[in-house]
Amino acid sequence: MRALGGNVVAVKRVVSPALVGRQDELRRVTAAVAAPPAVVVIDGEAGVGKTRLVSELVARAELDGRRPLLGRCHRI
């Protein structure tokens, strides 16, 4: 919800059902975590798709049966 000129307007977030433009990154990070032990750091500016990339990664069939440990931190 967002206030706009005194009115409250519902904002709907649009998310593509397909990962667009990140197939190479997804392939590389999948290969890295498919060969444990592995630690992968996904870093970048706000809004570049880090969360989406990680969401796609944990849904990969190659990682079935593995438990991902996710962490977040704030840049100092």
Side-chain angles (χ1 to χ4, degrees):
M1 302 291 246
R2 182 175 14 175
L4 182 65
N7 298 321
V8 176
V9 178
V11 177
K12 184 177 180 181
R13 191 170 157 222
V14 178
V15 178
S16 172
L19 184 66
V20 177
R22 297 286 185 191
Q23 290 77 14
D24 186 50
E25 290 89 346
L26 182 59
R27 181 187 51 76
R28 291 187 309 177
V29 74
T30 300
V33 299
V39 174
V40 175
V41 176
I42 307 293
D43 186 27
E45 298 297 321
V48 297
K50 298 177 301 292
T51 301
R52 177 64 187 266
L53 181 63
V54 171
S55 297
E56 293 289 330
L57 172 66
V58 298
R60 300 291 289 202
E62 296 94 317
L63 305 181
D64 281 351
R66 298 202 175 127
R67 183 180 307 181
L69 301 176
L70 307 176
R72 294 185 175 156
C73 63
H74 297 281
R75 190 175 288 270
I76 297 176

